[in-house]
Amino acid sequence: MGAEGMVKKMRRQSYSFGLTDTLLAEVGRLPLDVLHRDVDAICRCYECIVSVAERLGVEPPCPRLAGFSYNHVSTLGAPIVFVAGSEPNVKPILHHPEDIDRLEEPGDYLASGVVPERLATLHVLRERRPDAACSIGHQYEGPVTTAMLLMGEEFVLLPWTDPERAHRLLGFCVESAVNYTRVLRAHLGEPPDEPRPIGIPDDFAGLFAPELFAEFVAPYWDRLYAALGATERHLHSELLRVEHLPFLEELGIATFDPSADQYVTPALLREHCPVPFTGRIQSWHIADNSPEQLQAMYRDIASYEPVNISFYMTALREEPKIAALLDVAR
């Protein structure tokens, strides 16, 4: 075997694994929504998860508020509904294109939307558990996803029916996300303008065909990365097609995470993606397959050489399957 073949054979496949909020709620015997606001509930669930982590041979996770992506849109006036026992939802506030003309940033981001409540909960949690993550959730969504959250599905038509207002809304989404992020960073003790790797999650961006993507998506991603001082550009987007992939190289994306993208398989990404990409075994894959099938699926994904393969445990009944996945990943 030649040297190149030896290197390829010995290449170690990077992976990441996590324990989800739904699993935490299950082991703590508490409804999911309390992990957003109840410090006693959060601490209980993270204490209960230790034994699960030990059985799997992984480090127990540090306590944190439940995962949340809507802090930024809440500061802009979008109501957040915390559904009992379930995930939170956002209600749109832009019901007509003309409503975009009246959009304004809040005078104080830290006093707007759900941010004050989440910061207060974080403060109590970190007093109780100094090892808790200093975070209230994702700082922003990507421009298209933010516009969709603020306007609903009507935004998809706006580039056709009112392109000027579509640009105005996307520009507002970028500018407000940057200003919110800087304020929050400073409040949490981070240098607000320090250059760092930046990730953008923008799942709805792929709804726009490449000709619209070039005008209504790529420039706003570029603007957001630049304004946040990105030293590396990472992207998560779940609806991109093969035709969108050349934009990743043009934008200087360091890694592309397609997650549950139904249009680009690992095989297609290996052939067409111009930048490094990740792989993932989804929760429904874990639910629908045996441990042996999941191990074969992992090996198949690894054969396309993603930079990382991720998978997560969402319920206690999955433990044997997760143990099998960890075995093959290790």
Side-chain angles (χ1 to χ4, degrees):
M1 182 182 294
E4 182 181 350
M6 284 291 292
V7 170
K8 196 165 189 177
K9 183 177 179 181
M10 296 176 65
R11 176 183 177 272
R12 297 181 65 85
Q13 172 65 59
S14 174
Y15 74 94
S16 57
F17 167 68
L19 307 169
T20 67
D21 291 337
T22 55
L23 176 65
L24 284 159
E26 181 184 0
V27 298
R29 299 182 180 181
L30 292 165
L32 181 61
D33 58 294
V34 301
L35 298 181
H36 289 281
R37 60 179 183 271
D38 186 327
V39 171
D40 288 337
I42 295 169
C43 290
R44 173 181 170 178
C45 290
Y46 277 91
E47 289 163 1
C48 291
I49 204 68
V50 170
S51 60
V52 177
E54 288 176 343
R55 290 197 300 270
L56 293 171
V58 300
E59 285 291 321
C62 295
R64 63 172 177 81
L65 275 66
F68 189 70
S69 302
Y70 305 139
N71 291 302
H72 170 226
V73 294
S74 82
T75 67
L76 304 176
I80 312 297
V81 180
F82 288 90
V83 183
S86 187
E87 298 284 354
N89 294 316
V90 181
K91 290 188 174 181
I93 57 172
L94 303 175
H95 305 293
H96 307 283
E98 294 78 13
D99 294 339
I100 296 169
D101 304 340
R102 295 184 284 275
L103 274 175
E104 292 183 352
E105 295 186 64
D108 182 358
Y109 275 109
L110 300 181
S112 302
V114 300
V115 172
E117 178 184 351
R118 291 184 70 80
L119 285 173
T121 304
L122 176 64
H123 178 73
V124 176
L125 176 61
R126 284 180 58 79
E127 282 190 332
R128 180 89 61 87
R129 289 288 301 266
D131 61 328
C134 190
S135 170
I136 60 171
H138 291 299
Q139 292 176 339
Y140 48 82
E141 292 276 9
V144 177
T145 300
T146 302
M148 290 283 288
L149 292 171
L150 293 174
M151 193 171 188
E153 61 186 20
E154 294 300 316
F155 177 70
V156 177
L157 300 176
L158 202 62
W160 296 98
T161 60
D162 196 338
E164 181 180 346
R165 283 196 170 96
H167 281 298
R168 188 178 306 165
L169 177 54
L170 289 165
F172 176 83
C173 292
V174 169
E175 184 174 356
S176 61
V178 170
N179 292 336
Y180 165 74
T181 299
R182 286 173 173 161
V183 169
L184 185 64
R185 283 177 181 173
H187 180 79
L188 296 178
E190 302 177 34
D193 297 311
E194 181 179 61
R196 66 192 75 191
I198 294 294
I200 293 179
D202 209 348
D203 283 334
F204 290 114
L207 290 173
F208 295 111
E211 59 270 19
L212 286 178
F213 195 97
E215 180 179 354
F216 291 95
V217 180
Y220 295 98
W221 283 354
D222 189 54
R223 191 184 305 180
L224 184 55
Y225 283 123
L228 291 174
T231 55
E232 295 178 0
R233 297 180 169 198
H234 303 279
L235 176 70
H236 167 100
S237 193
E238 295 191 350
L239 292 174
L240 300 191
R241 277 74 161 175
V242 167
E243 294 76 17
H244 294 108
L245 298 179
F247 287 101
L248 304 183
E249 187 171 33
E250 294 173 16
L251 288 162
I253 302 300
T255 59
F256 168 49
D257 171 24
S259 186
D261 194 322
Q262 59 188 306
Y263 302 108
V264 287
T265 63
L268 286 173
L269 288 167
R270 174 68 182 272
E271 182 177 357
H272 298 286
C273 190
V275 304
F277 59 90
T278 64
R280 183 173 300 195
I281 294 180
Q282 303 291 346
S283 59
W284 54 88
H285 295 146
I286 294 170
D288 295 343
N289 289 276
S290 69
E292 294 76 18
Q293 289 170 323
L294 290 168
Q295 288 183 325
M297 182 180 296
Y298 187 98
R299 292 189 180 98
D300 180 63
I301 294 173
S303 71
Y304 298 104
E305 298 188 310
V307 291
N308 186 72
I309 299 176
S310 62
F311 54 97
Y312 301 87
M313 182 171 170
T314 63
L316 281 171
R317 64 180 178 275
E318 298 172 352
E319 187 170 333
K321 297 180 179 183
I322 295 298
L325 276 172
L326 284 169
D327 281 346
V328 73
R330 288 165 176 152

